[in-house]
Amino acid sequence: VAASWSPDGDPAGTVFEVQLATEGGSFASYSTTTAAAMTVAGLLPASTYSLQVRAYNGAAVATAFSGTVSTATLPPAPGAPGLPVALAVSTDTVSWAWTAAAGATSYEVRRASDPAELLASPASLSVVFTGRGPNVPSGIVVRGVNGIGPGPLSPQATAYTYARAPTALAVVAVTSASI
């Protein structure tokens, strides 16, 4: 969390004390600085924090605290989803499903190639690809996405659409020893 404040006329070198509190907790001194800004690090993801700041004069006499500001840290990037599994296959369709990635709000389904072309962005844990044609491989990787961005890719999975049965069998030549 990056915080800044106005020194309100205090000269350069004025010491500022930044205090931090977790949601429902008491304020405690986080750090001191002579800058009018600070990055507060080491916070837990998806948590609410409150900040307040005060100044000290050259004789170490503190002012009142500023107003309090509160903010929530962002959630972590999602984890990796489970291995995609082909649930339903036909001669032109492959239906895929996978287990959820922790913290994901949607998913990216990508071709298992380099580069991994984006094929779909479902919010659910499955996707169906149609119009593939017979006996065609369908290799994919999946990754979870949230407000932070994408997580790691799943392991690669490949399934083939079914081949079509041959048609129009005909005898095209006959000899005395073979058909």
Side-chain angles (χ1 to χ4, degrees), residues 67-87:
T68 299
V69 294
S70 294
T71 188
T73 55
L74 298 172
L83 176 70
V85 175
L87 297 179

Side-chain angles (χ1 to χ4, degrees), residues 12 16 19-20 35-36 38 44-45 54 69 72 74-75 78 88 122 143 147 170 175 178:
F16 299 98
Q19 289 195 345
L20 177 70
M38 173 177 281
L44 296 174
R54 65 180 169 186
V69 294
L74 298 172
R143 67 178 168 190
T175 67
S178 67

Side-chain angles (χ1 to χ4, degrees), residues 3-86:
S4 66
W5 52 90
S6 170
D8 198 23
D10 289 328
T14 299
V15 174
F16 299 98
E17 177 190 12
V18 177
Q19 289 195 345
L20 177 70
T22 57
E23 187 173 26
S26 300
F27 279 97
S29 185
Y30 174 78
S31 186
T32 59
T33 181
T34 56
M38 173 177 281
T39 298
V40 180
L43 305 177
L44 296 174
S47 299
T48 299
Y49 292 90
S50 296
L51 297 164
Q52 62 185 14
V53 63
R54 65 180 169 186
Y56 287 88
N57 71 6
V61 176
T63 65
F65 280 102
S66 64
T68 299
V69 294
S70 294
T71 188
T73 55
L74 298 172
L83 176 70
V85 175

